[in-house]
Amino acid sequence: MKNLLALSLKTVQGELYVLDQTLLPHQQHWVHCTTVMQMVTLIQRLQLRGAPAIGIGASLLLAYRATQGDSREQLLQAAEILRAARPTAVNLMNNLDAMIRALQQADFADAAVACAEALFAEDVALCQRMAEHGAALVQPKERLLTHCNTGGLATAGVGTALGVISLAQQQGKTIQLWVDETRPLLQGGRLTAWECQQLGIPFQLICDNMAGMLMARGEVDRLFVGADRIAANGDFANKVGTYSLAVLAHYHNIPFYVVAPHTTIDLSCPDGSAIPIEQRAADEVRGVRGAFGQTLWAPEQAPVFNPAFDVTPACLVSGWVLDTGVYSQADIQTGILQQFASKSQQAMV
């Protein structure tokens, strides 16, 4: 396997390493990942997170196992175990489907490696094209707002929404970024803020419930968020709290964009009601856990509702920034998402 390097994933002399995102921003620790169950744990504990990165990480692990002599049957079983690791992120399902097709070939080990490497390279290219399309929307000196983490930590490339924002800054547009802390796991505060420091993006960290006040004061010009799954009608699932931002942006007449590769489109979901929403552990809401340990601020047995994602309806979206271009609600109503997803599926057969 080639030596590959992304912000959260790398392969070195055929070995796979994952940057433990739960220890950021204060510790950078690479985990040597060698087994299927280890990868499942890394994904479920959010040590590896971000829809594209999850799919690529799972694919690289299958490729690594193929180089270690696992049989076709063992690899196919492993793919199904990995598929169940995070149910909402459709990139994981799409990438594993591509790997399964590779495993049907006679030289399945070499085919698995080639497929995983191709998926990695594809994501790098998709991220760059999304960044270029989205950055063209940003005007000089705009104040942008984003939610969760959508940068290089979540992909193999420059990211989705944060990739757009980073390129706009590189183009000299002198933007200012509001970064939602993103409760309950603080991916904005821990990860996006860290990436912004690395990239030189001027930012200010805010609590999630401050966004509406900023919009009312006229201090937000445009929003960019990512997606874990886009339904055929343009509805999309993203980190919980995204829907609230979309409603606020709609009320205040502020452009709201979702940025994602075409590989995030799921034609099997006709609309957002068909997107499975992952429920996570109660302790994530009762308190906080990080490199410092764990702190509980709620009663230990307090009942908790903890969906990882919410669904934003297409009617609240100003535009879909894909690697193929920027599309309006009128475009979406013509069925353009189905065209892109169908072409993608045909190319992967």
Side-chain angles (χ1 to χ4, degrees), residues 1-76:
M1 191 153 47
K2 296 177 183 176
N3 286 348
L4 303 170
L5 179 62
L7 202 54
S8 61
L9 289 162
K10 65 181 179 181
T11 57
V12 181
Q13 296 181 341
E15 302 288 327
L16 175 61
Y17 296 85
V18 174
L19 181 65
D20 186 346
Q21 296 188 35
T22 65
L23 300 179
L24 291 173
H26 304 299
Q27 296 181 35
Q28 296 182 46
H29 174 67
W30 289 90
V31 178
H32 184 200
C33 183
T34 61
T35 70
V36 173
M37 293 315 299
Q38 188 181 11
M39 177 57 73
V40 169
T41 298
L42 289 170
I43 292 172
Q44 291 182 341
R45 291 181 178 175
L46 303 184
Q47 293 168 284
L48 176 64
R49 48 148 296 283
I54 289 170
I56 293 164
S59 300
L60 289 172
L61 188 279
L62 282 179
Y64 168 77
R65 292 308 318 167
T67 67
Q68 299 304 298
D70 285 11
S71 68
R72 180 186 282 112
E73 291 70 24
Q74 287 174 313
L75 293 169
L76 291 172

Side-chain angles (χ1 to χ4, degrees), residues 318 320 327-336:
S318 304
W320 289 255
Y327 303 96
S328 67
Q329 290 193 15
D331 294 325
I332 299 304
Q333 290 170 7
T334 67
I336 200 164

Side-chain angles (χ1 to χ4, degrees), residues 281-292:
D283 278 349
E284 292 178 352
V285 175
R286 294 185 186 126
V288 65
R289 174 182 293 147
F292 51 83

Side-chain angles (χ1 to χ4, degrees), residues 82-341:
L82 289 164
R83 187 186 298 275
R86 297 211 67 187
T88 304
V90 75
N91 297 68
L92 174 63
M93 320 309 169
N94 290 339
N95 286 13
L96 288 174
D97 287 343
M99 292 296 292
I100 288 171
R101 287 191 290 272
L103 291 171
Q104 305 305 321
Q105 298 184 30
D107 56 343
F108 65 88
D110 288 342
V113 171
C115 183
E117 292 175 347
L119 290 169
F120 186 102
E122 177 193 45
D123 189 64
V124 172
L126 296 179
C127 286
Q128 185 60 37
R129 291 201 289 271
M130 285 183 284
E132 292 168 358
H133 294 310
L137 300 168
V138 179
Q139 301 303 305
K141 299 184 179 180
E142 280 195 333
R143 295 153 298 181
L144 310 177
L145 190 148
T146 195
H147 188 68
C148 196
N149 172 257
T150 56
L153 288 170
T155 67
V158 296
T160 57
L162 192 59
V164 166
I165 294 163
S166 176
L167 182 56
Q169 176 65 16
Q170 292 172 31
Q171 292 173 343
K173 293 182 176 178
T174 59
I175 55 94
Q176 169 69 40
L177 180 63
W178 301 107
V179 177
D180 267 359
E181 64 179 352
T182 317
R183 290 276 295 134
L185 292 174
L186 308 175
Q187 292 100 327
R190 292 188 302 104
L191 306 179
T192 301
W194 178 77
E195 284 201 57
C196 285
Q197 287 183 329
Q198 308 299 308
L199 295 167
I201 300 173
F203 75 96
Q204 285 185 275
L205 183 63
I206 61 171
C207 297
D208 295 357
N209 55 7
M210 297 174 183
M213 182 193 76
L214 289 171
M215 293 184 199
R217 290 169 55 170
E219 296 187 37
V220 179
D221 298 306
R222 202 177 302 269
L223 291 85
F224 290 101
V225 300
D228 285 75
R229 189 179 300 221
I230 300 176
N233 73 334
D235 296 350
F236 72 96
N238 192 48
K239 183 58 59 184
V240 68
T242 302
Y243 171 61
S244 302
L245 288 175
V247 172
L248 285 167
H250 183 74
Y251 179 82
H252 291 96
N253 197 30
I254 300 171
F256 176 92
Y257 293 92
V258 56
V259 186
H262 70 270
T263 52
T264 303
I265 301 167
D266 184 2
L267 294 183
S268 70
C269 290
D271 55 48
S273 66
I275 299 176
I277 301 298
E278 174 189 355
Q279 290 286 331
R280 293 189 57 83
D283 278 349
E284 292 178 352
V285 175
R286 294 185 186 126
V288 65
R289 174 182 293 147
F292 51 83
Q294 182 177 16
T295 298
L296 292 180
W297 49 59
E300 290 187 11
Q301 300 304 316
V304 168
F305 175 61
N306 185 20
F309 307 93
D310 57 24
V311 173
T312 298
C315 62
L316 296 179
V317 181
S318 304
W320 289 255
V321 181
L322 307 181
D323 51 281
T324 49
V326 181
Y327 303 96
S328 67
Q329 290 193 15
D331 294 325
I332 299 304
Q333 290 170 7
T334 67
I336 200 164
L337 294 183
Q338 290 89 326
Q339 297 174 32
F340 294 141

